Amino acid sequence: FLQENKSQLLPRFHIQDPRGTIMVVKQVQNAIRLFLRRLDTHPMTTTCLTVGGFAAAGIVTWNVLEFLEGPPAVDPKKQPMTLEEARLRAMIENAQSSDWRENLDNAVTAQEQFMLPGRPHEKPKFMEEIDRRSLEIMKEQHEEVAKEKQRKPTTRVWND
């Protein structure tokens, strides 16, 4: 099969470029001829080397792309939550559980509280609820992280 179709597999380039492009084309044609000659004489070895070469090139490309992407994203469930993250979640819960009038009152109070510092203000009720709930959320999440770290699977191939 290859004996008859070798001439069809070889590229036919007739580029005349004074900068040496014709040399590169001839080298590619010679490499293809050499590959086809080895394929005729040693088909199994050539096939194995070709597959292995492509596999190695794929692995190298994969590693380079992985390196360029940077470290993998950290799963937020595996890291302890900060107080700011817990406070944000508590604020969202508070806003979702309140009606629009309460949310509007909370927004006005918060703006007065934070935009006019230095004036004596008592801590609003909704802020106390947010602080209390944020501490609960943070405590629950820290307990989940601790349980996850204590629980170890029976078989493990890669470390997370």
PDB file of all heavy atoms in Angstrom, residues 89-124:
ATOM      1  N   ARG A  89     -22.052  37.316  53.640  1.00  0.00           N
ATOM      2  CA  ARG A  89     -23.125  36.316  53.538  1.00  0.00           C
ATOM      3  C   ARG A  89     -24.281  36.643  54.475  1.00  0.00           C
ATOM      4  O   ARG A  89     -25.449  36.481  54.129  1.00  0.00           O
ATOM      5  CB  ARG A  89     -22.586  34.917  53.842  1.00  0.00           C
ATOM      6  CG  ARG A  89     -21.730  34.380  52.742  1.00  0.00           C
ATOM      7  CD  ARG A  89     -21.377  32.945  52.969  1.00  0.00           C
ATOM      8  NE  ARG A  89     -20.457  32.488  51.954  1.00  0.00           N
ATOM      9  CZ  ARG A  89     -20.021  31.258  51.856  1.00  0.00           C
ATOM     10  NH1 ARG A  89     -20.411  30.349  52.727  1.00  0.00           N
ATOM     11  NH2 ARG A  89     -19.189  30.917  50.905  1.00  0.00           N
ATOM     12  N   ALA A  90     -23.958  37.118  55.679  1.00  0.00           N
ATOM     13  CA  ALA A  90     -25.009  37.487  56.627  1.00  0.00           C
ATOM     14  C   ALA A  90     -25.803  38.689  56.116  1.00  0.00           C
ATOM     15  O   ALA A  90     -27.033  38.739  56.268  1.00  0.00           O
ATOM     16  CB  ALA A  90     -24.395  37.793  57.995  1.00  0.00           C
ATOM     17  N   MET A  91     -25.130  39.642  55.488  1.00  0.00           N
ATOM     18  CA  MET A  91     -25.836  40.795  54.919  1.00  0.00           C
ATOM     19  C   MET A  91     -26.789  40.361  53.812  1.00  0.00           C
ATOM     20  O   MET A  91     -27.916  40.859  53.710  1.00  0.00           O
ATOM     21  CB  MET A  91     -24.840  41.824  54.372  1.00  0.00           C
ATOM     22  CG  MET A  91     -24.122  42.618  55.408  1.00  0.00           C
ATOM     23  SD  MET A  91     -23.007  43.783  54.576  1.00  0.00           S
ATOM     24  CE  MET A  91     -22.036  44.347  55.938  1.00  0.00           C
ATOM     25  N   ILE A  92     -26.327  39.440  52.967  1.00  0.00           N
ATOM     26  CA  ILE A  92     -27.174  38.944  51.878  1.00  0.00           C
ATOM     27  C   ILE A  92     -28.387  38.211  52.446  1.00  0.00           C
ATOM     28  O   ILE A  92     -29.524  38.419  51.997  1.00  0.00           O
ATOM     29  CB  ILE A  92     -26.360  38.047  50.931  1.00  0.00           C
ATOM     30  CG1 ILE A  92     -25.329  38.887  50.173  1.00  0.00           C
ATOM     31  CG2 ILE A  92     -27.275  37.305  49.964  1.00  0.00           C
ATOM     32  CD1 ILE A  92     -24.330  38.079  49.384  1.00  0.00           C
ATOM     33  N   GLU A  93     -28.163  37.376  53.453  1.00  0.00           N
ATOM     34  CA  GLU A  93     -29.281  36.673  54.088  1.00  0.00           C
ATOM     35  C   GLU A  93     -30.268  37.663  54.696  1.00  0.00           C
ATOM     36  O   GLU A  93     -31.484  37.511  54.562  1.00  0.00           O
ATOM     37  CB  GLU A  93     -28.776  35.728  55.182  1.00  0.00           C
ATOM     38  CG  GLU A  93     -28.154  34.458  54.687  1.00  0.00           C
ATOM     39  CD  GLU A  93     -27.692  33.562  55.820  1.00  0.00           C
ATOM     40  OE1 GLU A  93     -28.019  33.845  57.006  1.00  0.00           O
ATOM     41  OE2 GLU A  93     -26.999  32.576  55.529  1.00  0.00           O
ATOM     42  N   ASN A  94     -29.740  38.692  55.364  1.00  0.00           N
ATOM     43  CA  ASN A  94     -30.598  39.696  55.991  1.00  0.00           C
ATOM     44  C   ASN A  94     -31.414  40.419  54.932  1.00  0.00           C
ATOM     45  O   ASN A  94     -32.616  40.638  55.103  1.00  0.00           O
ATOM     46  CB  ASN A  94     -29.745  40.690  56.778  1.00  0.00           C
ATOM     47  CG  ASN A  94     -30.577  41.673  57.574  1.00  0.00           C
ATOM     48  OD1 ASN A  94     -31.665  42.062  57.171  1.00  0.00           O
ATOM     49  ND2 ASN A  94     -30.053  42.094  58.714  1.00  0.00           N
ATOM     50  N   ALA A  95     -30.777  40.787  53.830  1.00  0.00           N
ATOM     51  CA  ALA A  95     -31.492  41.511  52.774  1.00  0.00           C
ATOM     52  C   ALA A  95     -32.555  40.629  52.126  1.00  0.00           C
ATOM     53  O   ALA A  95     -33.639  41.105  51.771  1.00  0.00           O
ATOM     54  CB  ALA A  95     -30.506  42.009  51.724  1.00  0.00           C
ATOM     55  N   GLN A  96     -32.268  39.349  51.971  1.00  0.00           N
ATOM     56  CA  GLN A  96     -33.245  38.448  51.350  1.00  0.00           C
ATOM     57  C   GLN A  96     -34.416  38.154  52.279  1.00  0.00           C
ATOM     58  O   GLN A  96     -35.541  37.948  51.820  1.00  0.00           O
ATOM     59  CB  GLN A  96     -32.569  37.139  50.939  1.00  0.00           C
ATOM     60  CG  GLN A  96     -31.643  37.299  49.754  1.00  0.00           C
ATOM     61  CD  GLN A  96     -30.870  36.025  49.428  1.00  0.00           C
ATOM     62  OE1 GLN A  96     -30.752  35.132  50.245  1.00  0.00           O
ATOM     63  NE2 GLN A  96     -30.338  35.971  48.210  1.00  0.00           N
ATOM     64  N   SER A  97     -34.169  38.138  53.578  1.00  0.00           N
ATOM     65  CA  SER A  97     -35.244  37.816  54.515  1.00  0.00           C
ATOM     66  C   SER A  97     -36.071  39.048  54.900  1.00  0.00           C
ATOM     67  O   SER A  97     -37.151  38.907  55.458  1.00  0.00           O
ATOM     68  CB  SER A  97     -34.670  37.157  55.775  1.00  0.00           C
ATOM     69  OG  SER A  97     -33.849  38.077  56.471  1.00  0.00           O
ATOM     70  N   SER A  98     -35.588  40.236  54.608  1.00  0.00           N
ATOM     71  CA  SER A  98     -36.310  41.465  54.952  1.00  0.00           C
ATOM     72  C   SER A  98     -37.153  41.929  53.775  1.00  0.00           C
ATOM     73  O   SER A  98     -36.865  41.621  52.626  1.00  0.00           O
ATOM     74  CB  SER A  98     -35.324  42.579  55.326  1.00  0.00           C
ATOM     75  OG  SER A  98     -34.511  42.186  56.395  1.00  0.00           O
ATOM     76  N   ASP A  99     -38.196  42.716  54.097  1.00  0.00           N
ATOM     77  CA  ASP A  99     -38.980  43.290  53.001  1.00  0.00           C
ATOM     78  C   ASP A  99     -38.299  44.570  52.507  1.00  0.00           C
ATOM     79  O   ASP A  99     -37.294  45.011  53.059  1.00  0.00           O
ATOM     80  CB  ASP A  99     -40.432  43.526  53.429  1.00  0.00           C
ATOM     81  CG  ASP A  99     -40.565  44.612  54.498  1.00  0.00           C
ATOM     82  OD1 ASP A  99     -39.518  45.026  55.045  1.00  0.00           O
ATOM     83  OD2 ASP A  99     -41.694  45.037  54.780  1.00  0.00           O
ATOM     84  N   TRP A 100     -38.858  45.175  51.486  1.00  0.00           N
ATOM     85  CA  TRP A 100     -38.184  46.303  50.840  1.00  0.00           C
ATOM     86  C   TRP A 100     -38.104  47.518  51.750  1.00  0.00           C
ATOM     87  O   TRP A 100     -37.150  48.294  51.669  1.00  0.00           O
ATOM     88  CB  TRP A 100     -38.863  46.641  49.513  1.00  0.00           C
ATOM     89  CG  TRP A 100     -40.266  47.182  49.641  1.00  0.00           C
ATOM     90  CD1 TRP A 100     -41.417  46.475  49.707  1.00  0.00           C
ATOM     91  CD2 TRP A 100     -40.627  48.557  49.716  1.00  0.00           C
ATOM     92  NE1 TRP A 100     -42.486  47.301  49.820  1.00  0.00           N
ATOM     93  CE2 TRP A 100     -42.032  48.597  49.819  1.00  0.00           C
ATOM     94  CE3 TRP A 100     -39.914  49.751  49.706  1.00  0.00           C
ATOM     95  CZ2 TRP A 100     -42.734  49.785  49.924  1.00  0.00           C
ATOM     96  CZ3 TRP A 100     -40.613  50.943  49.799  1.00  0.00           C
ATOM     97  CH2 TRP A 100     -42.013  50.959  49.907  1.00  0.00           C
ATOM     98  N   ARG A 101     -39.093  47.708  52.640  1.00  0.00           N
ATOM     99  CA  ARG A 101     -39.057  48.867  53.551  1.00  0.00           C
ATOM    100  C   ARG A 101     -37.924  48.721  54.568  1.00  0.00           C
ATOM    101  O   ARG A 101     -37.203  49.681  54.848  1.00  0.00           O
ATOM    102  CB  ARG A 101     -40.401  49.007  54.251  1.00  0.00           C
ATOM    103  CG  ARG A 101     -41.473  49.492  53.324  1.00  0.00           C
ATOM    104  CD  ARG A 101     -42.766  49.749  54.067  1.00  0.00           C
ATOM    105  NE  ARG A 101     -43.781  50.160  53.106  1.00  0.00           N
ATOM    106  CZ  ARG A 101     -44.986  49.655  53.043  1.00  0.00           C
ATOM    107  NH1 ARG A 101     -45.352  48.709  53.893  1.00  0.00           N
ATOM    108  NH2 ARG A 101     -45.840  50.087  52.138  1.00  0.00           N
ATOM    109  N   GLU A 102     -37.798  47.512  55.116  1.00  0.00           N
ATOM    110  CA  GLU A 102     -36.705  47.268  56.072  1.00  0.00           C
ATOM    111  C   GLU A 102     -35.352  47.443  55.393  1.00  0.00           C
ATOM    112  O   GLU A 102     -34.421  48.009  55.982  1.00  0.00           O
ATOM    113  CB  GLU A 102     -36.824  45.862  56.662  1.00  0.00           C
ATOM    114  CG  GLU A 102     -37.980  45.685  57.612  1.00  0.00           C
ATOM    115  CD  GLU A 102     -38.124  44.246  58.086  1.00  0.00           C
ATOM    116  OE1 GLU A 102     -37.342  43.379  57.625  1.00  0.00           O
ATOM    117  OE2 GLU A 102     -39.006  43.981  58.903  1.00  0.00           O
ATOM    118  N   ASN A 103     -35.229  46.934  54.164  1.00  0.00           N
ATOM    119  CA  ASN A 103     -33.965  47.096  53.425  1.00  0.00           C
ATOM    120  C   ASN A 103     -33.654  48.563  53.179  1.00  0.00           C
ATOM    121  O   ASN A 103     -32.497  48.986  53.274  1.00  0.00           O
ATOM    122  CB  ASN A 103     -34.025  46.334  52.100  1.00  0.00           C
ATOM    123  CG  ASN A 103     -33.872  44.844  52.280  1.00  0.00           C
ATOM    124  OD1 ASN A 103     -33.306  44.382  53.266  1.00  0.00           O
ATOM    125  ND2 ASN A 103     -34.383  44.074  51.341  1.00  0.00           N
ATOM    126  N   LEU A 104     -34.661  49.347  52.864  1.00  0.00           N
ATOM    127  CA  LEU A 104     -34.452  50.779  52.639  1.00  0.00           C
ATOM    128  C   LEU A 104     -34.041  51.475  53.931  1.00  0.00           C
ATOM    129  O   LEU A 104     -33.104  52.292  53.940  1.00  0.00           O
ATOM    130  CB  LEU A 104     -35.729  51.395  52.064  1.00  0.00           C
ATOM    131  CG  LEU A 104     -35.607  52.788  51.475  1.00  0.00           C
ATOM    132  CD1 LEU A 104     -34.565  52.812  50.364  1.00  0.00           C
ATOM    133  CD2 LEU A 104     -36.945  53.270  50.958  1.00  0.00           C
ATOM    134  N   ASP A 105     -34.693  51.141  55.034  1.00  0.00           N
ATOM    135  CA  ASP A 105     -34.315  51.715  56.338  1.00  0.00           C
ATOM    136  C   ASP A 105     -32.888  51.304  56.717  1.00  0.00           C
ATOM    137  O   ASP A 105     -32.105  52.127  57.223  1.00  0.00           O
ATOM    138  CB  ASP A 105     -35.282  51.254  57.432  1.00  0.00           C
ATOM    139  CG  ASP A 105     -36.646  51.916  57.320  1.00  0.00           C
ATOM    140  OD1 ASP A 105     -36.732  52.981  56.677  1.00  0.00           O
ATOM    141  OD2 ASP A 105     -37.610  51.346  57.880  1.00  0.00           O
ATOM    142  N   ASN A 106     -32.553  50.040  56.483  1.00  0.00           N
ATOM    143  CA  ASN A 106     -31.200  49.565  56.789  1.00  0.00           C
ATOM    144  C   ASN A 106     -30.159  50.296  55.955  1.00  0.00           C
ATOM    145  O   ASN A 106     -29.081  50.637  56.449  1.00  0.00           O
ATOM    146  CB  ASN A 106     -31.093  48.062  56.547  1.00  0.00           C
ATOM    147  CG  ASN A 106     -31.900  47.254  57.544  1.00  0.00           C
ATOM    148  OD1 ASN A 106     -32.343  47.777  58.567  1.00  0.00           O
ATOM    149  ND2 ASN A 106     -32.109  45.996  57.241  1.00  0.00           N
ATOM    150  N   ALA A 107     -30.468  50.554  54.688  1.00  0.00           N
ATOM    151  CA  ALA A 107     -29.521  51.258  53.820  1.00  0.00           C
ATOM    152  C   ALA A 107     -29.302  52.689  54.296  1.00  0.00           C
ATOM    153  O   ALA A 107     -28.169  53.188  54.321  1.00  0.00           O
ATOM    154  CB  ALA A 107     -30.027  51.249  52.381  1.00  0.00           C
ATOM    155  N   VAL A 108     -30.365  53.359  54.701  1.00  0.00           N
ATOM    156  CA  VAL A 108     -30.236  54.737  55.192  1.00  0.00           C
ATOM    157  C   VAL A 108     -29.425  54.759  56.479  1.00  0.00           C
ATOM    158  O   VAL A 108     -28.513  55.583  56.654  1.00  0.00           O
ATOM    159  CB  VAL A 108     -31.637  55.360  55.403  1.00  0.00           C
ATOM    160  CG1 VAL A 108     -31.537  56.672  56.158  1.00  0.00           C
ATOM    161  CG2 VAL A 108     -32.328  55.558  54.070  1.00  0.00           C
ATOM    162  N   THR A 109     -29.729  53.848  57.375  1.00  0.00           N
ATOM    163  CA  THR A 109     -28.996  53.785  58.644  1.00  0.00           C
ATOM    164  C   THR A 109     -27.522  53.462  58.417  1.00  0.00           C
ATOM    165  O   THR A 109     -26.637  54.059  59.033  1.00  0.00           O
ATOM    166  CB  THR A 109     -29.629  52.727  59.569  1.00  0.00           C
ATOM    167  OG1 THR A 109     -31.014  53.000  59.704  1.00  0.00           O
ATOM    168  CG2 THR A 109     -28.977  52.738  60.929  1.00  0.00           C
ATOM    169  N   ALA A 110     -27.259  52.521  57.530  1.00  0.00           N
ATOM    170  CA  ALA A 110     -25.866  52.156  57.247  1.00  0.00           C
ATOM    171  C   ALA A 110     -25.112  53.325  56.634  1.00  0.00           C
ATOM    172  O   ALA A 110     -23.946  53.554  56.962  1.00  0.00           O
ATOM    173  CB  ALA A 110     -25.833  50.948  56.314  1.00  0.00           C
ATOM    174  N   GLN A 111     -25.768  54.069  55.739  1.00  0.00           N
ATOM    175  CA  GLN A 111     -25.085  55.214  55.135  1.00  0.00           C
ATOM    176  C   GLN A 111     -24.772  56.263  56.189  1.00  0.00           C
ATOM    177  O   GLN A 111     -23.686  56.831  56.204  1.00  0.00           O
ATOM    178  CB  GLN A 111     -25.929  55.815  54.024  1.00  0.00           C
ATOM    179  CG  GLN A 111     -25.206  56.952  53.323  1.00  0.00           C
ATOM    180  CD  GLN A 111     -25.955  57.476  52.133  1.00  0.00           C
ATOM    181  OE1 GLN A 111     -27.068  57.088  51.877  1.00  0.00           O
ATOM    182  NE2 GLN A 111     -25.319  58.365  51.410  1.00  0.00           N
ATOM    183  N   GLU A 112     -25.714  56.527  57.082  1.00  0.00           N
ATOM    184  CA  GLU A 112     -25.444  57.487  58.158  1.00  0.00           C
ATOM    185  C   GLU A 112     -24.299  56.997  59.039  1.00  0.00           C
ATOM    186  O   GLU A 112     -23.442  57.768  59.448  1.00  0.00           O
ATOM    187  CB  GLU A 112     -26.699  57.684  59.005  1.00  0.00           C
ATOM    188  CG  GLU A 112     -27.783  58.478  58.325  1.00  0.00           C
ATOM    189  CD  GLU A 112     -29.045  58.553  59.177  1.00  0.00           C
ATOM    190  OE1 GLU A 112     -29.074  57.959  60.281  1.00  0.00           O
ATOM    191  OE2 GLU A 112     -29.991  59.207  58.730  1.00  0.00           O
ATOM    192  N   GLN A 113     -24.302  55.708  59.304  1.00  0.00           N
ATOM    193  CA  GLN A 113     -23.292  55.116  60.194  1.00  0.00           C
ATOM    194  C   GLN A 113     -21.892  55.219  59.596  1.00  0.00           C
ATOM    195  O   GLN A 113     -20.940  55.578  60.282  1.00  0.00           O
ATOM    196  CB  GLN A 113     -23.648  53.649  60.447  1.00  0.00           C
ATOM    197  CG  GLN A 113     -22.732  52.917  61.379  1.00  0.00           C
ATOM    198  CD  GLN A 113     -23.111  53.141  62.833  1.00  0.00           C
ATOM    199  OE1 GLN A 113     -24.216  53.559  63.131  1.00  0.00           O
ATOM    200  NE2 GLN A 113     -22.199  52.865  63.725  1.00  0.00           N
ATOM    201  N   PHE A 114     -21.773  54.904  58.292  1.00  0.00           N
ATOM    202  CA  PHE A 114     -20.452  54.793  57.687  1.00  0.00           C
ATOM    203  C   PHE A 114     -20.001  56.060  56.961  1.00  0.00           C
ATOM    204  O   PHE A 114     -18.813  56.288  56.810  1.00  0.00           O
ATOM    205  CB  PHE A 114     -20.410  53.600  56.730  1.00  0.00           C
ATOM    206  CG  PHE A 114     -20.643  52.293  57.429  1.00  0.00           C
ATOM    207  CD1 PHE A 114     -21.758  51.523  57.138  1.00  0.00           C
ATOM    208  CD2 PHE A 114     -19.771  51.841  58.403  1.00  0.00           C
ATOM    209  CE1 PHE A 114     -21.980  50.329  57.792  1.00  0.00           C
ATOM    210  CE2 PHE A 114     -19.992  50.652  59.062  1.00  0.00           C
ATOM    211  CZ  PHE A 114     -21.101  49.883  58.756  1.00  0.00           C
ATOM    212  N   MET A 115     -20.940  56.862  56.508  1.00  0.00           N
ATOM    213  CA  MET A 115     -20.561  58.059  55.765  1.00  0.00           C
ATOM    214  C   MET A 115     -20.296  59.247  56.680  1.00  0.00           C
ATOM    215  O   MET A 115     -19.644  60.201  56.285  1.00  0.00           O
ATOM    216  CB  MET A 115     -21.660  58.432  54.749  1.00  0.00           C
ATOM    217  CG  MET A 115     -21.857  57.376  53.679  1.00  0.00           C
ATOM    218  SD  MET A 115     -20.381  57.043  52.718  1.00  0.00           S
ATOM    219  CE  MET A 115     -20.332  58.468  51.676  1.00  0.00           C
ATOM    220  N   LEU A 116     -20.805  59.192  57.877  1.00  0.00           N
ATOM    221  CA  LEU A 116     -20.601  60.285  58.821  1.00  0.00           C
ATOM    222  C   LEU A 116     -19.918  59.769  60.080  1.00  0.00           C
ATOM    223  O   LEU A 116     -20.495  59.752  61.163  1.00  0.00           O
ATOM    224  CB  LEU A 116     -21.949  60.930  59.181  1.00  0.00           C
ATOM    225  CG  LEU A 116     -22.752  61.498  58.005  1.00  0.00           C
ATOM    226  CD1 LEU A 116     -24.138  61.904  58.464  1.00  0.00           C
ATOM    227  CD2 LEU A 116     -22.029  62.651  57.369  1.00  0.00           C
ATOM    228  N   PRO A 117     -18.663  59.346  59.955  1.00  0.00           N
ATOM    229  CA  PRO A 117     -17.985  58.831  61.145  1.00  0.00           C
ATOM    230  C   PRO A 117     -17.670  59.976  62.109  1.00  0.00           C
ATOM    231  O   PRO A 117     -17.585  61.127  61.726  1.00  0.00           O
ATOM    232  CB  PRO A 117     -16.707  58.217  60.578  1.00  0.00           C
ATOM    233  CG  PRO A 117     -16.473  58.933  59.302  1.00  0.00           C
ATOM    234  CD  PRO A 117     -17.817  59.341  58.784  1.00  0.00           C
ATOM    235  N   GLY A 118     -17.528  59.625  63.326  1.00  0.00           N
ATOM    236  CA  GLY A 118     -17.197  60.630  64.331  1.00  0.00           C
ATOM    237  C   GLY A 118     -18.415  61.108  65.090  1.00  0.00           C
ATOM    238  O   GLY A 118     -18.292  61.595  66.209  1.00  0.00           O
ATOM    239  N   ARG A 119     -19.563  61.018  64.477  1.00  0.00           N
ATOM    240  CA  ARG A 119     -20.785  61.380  65.191  1.00  0.00           C
ATOM    241  C   ARG A 119     -21.163  60.211  66.091  1.00  0.00           C
ATOM    242  O   ARG A 119     -21.074  59.060  65.691  1.00  0.00           O
ATOM    243  CB  ARG A 119     -21.912  61.671  64.202  1.00  0.00           C
ATOM    244  CG  ARG A 119     -21.637  62.914  63.377  1.00  0.00           C
ATOM    245  CD  ARG A 119     -22.681  63.159  62.343  1.00  0.00           C
ATOM    246  NE  ARG A 119     -23.991  63.403  62.937  1.00  0.00           N
ATOM    247  CZ  ARG A 119     -25.117  63.427  62.227  1.00  0.00           C
ATOM    248  NH1 ARG A 119     -25.087  63.219  60.932  1.00  0.00           N
ATOM    249  NH2 ARG A 119     -26.264  63.652  62.812  1.00  0.00           N
ATOM    250  N   PRO A 120     -21.588  60.477  67.277  1.00  0.00           N
ATOM    251  CA  PRO A 120     -21.962  59.361  68.157  1.00  0.00           C
ATOM    252  C   PRO A 120     -23.217  58.663  67.647  1.00  0.00           C
ATOM    253  O   PRO A 120     -24.243  59.295  67.432  1.00  0.00           O
ATOM    254  CB  PRO A 120     -22.202  60.025  69.509  1.00  0.00           C
ATOM    255  CG  PRO A 120     -22.434  61.466  69.213  1.00  0.00           C
ATOM    256  CD  PRO A 120     -21.733  61.769  67.917  1.00  0.00           C
ATOM    257  N   HIS A 121     -23.073  57.398  67.391  1.00  0.00           N
ATOM    258  CA  HIS A 121     -24.185  56.570  66.921  1.00  0.00           C
ATOM    259  C   HIS A 121     -24.234  55.323  67.779  1.00  0.00           C
ATOM    260  O   HIS A 121     -23.205  54.786  68.179  1.00  0.00           O
ATOM    261  CB  HIS A 121     -23.984  56.121  65.465  1.00  0.00           C
ATOM    262  CG  HIS A 121     -24.039  57.219  64.458  1.00  0.00           C
ATOM    263  ND1 HIS A 121     -25.203  57.826  64.078  1.00  0.00           N
ATOM    264  CD2 HIS A 121     -23.059  57.828  63.741  1.00  0.00           C
ATOM    265  CE1 HIS A 121     -24.959  58.748  63.169  1.00  0.00           C
ATOM    266  NE2 HIS A 121     -23.651  58.770  62.948  1.00  0.00           N
ATOM    267  N   GLU A 122     -25.434  54.884  68.031  1.00  0.00           N
ATOM    268  CA  GLU A 122     -25.562  53.573  68.649  1.00  0.00           C
ATOM    269  C   GLU A 122     -25.641  52.546  67.535  1.00  0.00           C
ATOM    270  O   GLU A 122     -26.078  52.850  66.423  1.00  0.00           O
ATOM    271  CB  GLU A 122     -26.785  53.513  69.547  1.00  0.00           C
ATOM    272  CG  GLU A 122     -28.076  53.850  68.829  1.00  0.00           C
ATOM    273  CD  GLU A 122     -29.220  54.052  69.797  1.00  0.00           C
ATOM    274  OE1 GLU A 122     -29.075  54.841  70.730  1.00  0.00           O
ATOM    275  OE2 GLU A 122     -30.240  53.394  69.590  1.00  0.00           O
ATOM    276  N   LYS A 123     -25.178  51.374  67.833  1.00  0.00           N
ATOM    277  CA  LYS A 123     -25.147  50.326  66.812  1.00  0.00           C
ATOM    278  C   LYS A 123     -26.574  49.914  66.468  1.00  0.00           C
ATOM    279  O   LYS A 123     -27.335  49.521  67.350  1.00  0.00           O
ATOM    280  CB  LYS A 123     -24.342  49.123  67.312  1.00  0.00           C
ATOM    281  CG  LYS A 123     -23.933  48.182  66.230  1.00  0.00           C
ATOM    282  CD  LYS A 123     -22.946  47.185  66.773  1.00  0.00           C
ATOM    283  CE  LYS A 123     -22.291  46.461  65.630  1.00  0.00           C
ATOM    284  NZ  LYS A 123     -21.254  45.565  66.103  1.00  0.00           N
ATOM    285  N   PRO A 124     -26.941  49.993  65.180  1.00  0.00           N
ATOM    286  CA  PRO A 124     -28.307  49.626  64.796  1.00  0.00           C
ATOM    287  C   PRO A 124     -28.574  48.149  65.034  1.00  0.00           C
ATOM    288  O   PRO A 124     -27.672  47.315  65.051  1.00  0.00           O
ATOM    289  CB  PRO A 124     -28.369  49.941  63.301  1.00  0.00           C
ATOM    290  CG  PRO A 124     -27.151  50.704  62.975  1.00  0.00           C
ATOM    291  CD  PRO A 124     -26.165  50.478  64.063  1.00  0.00           C
TER     292      PRO A 124
END
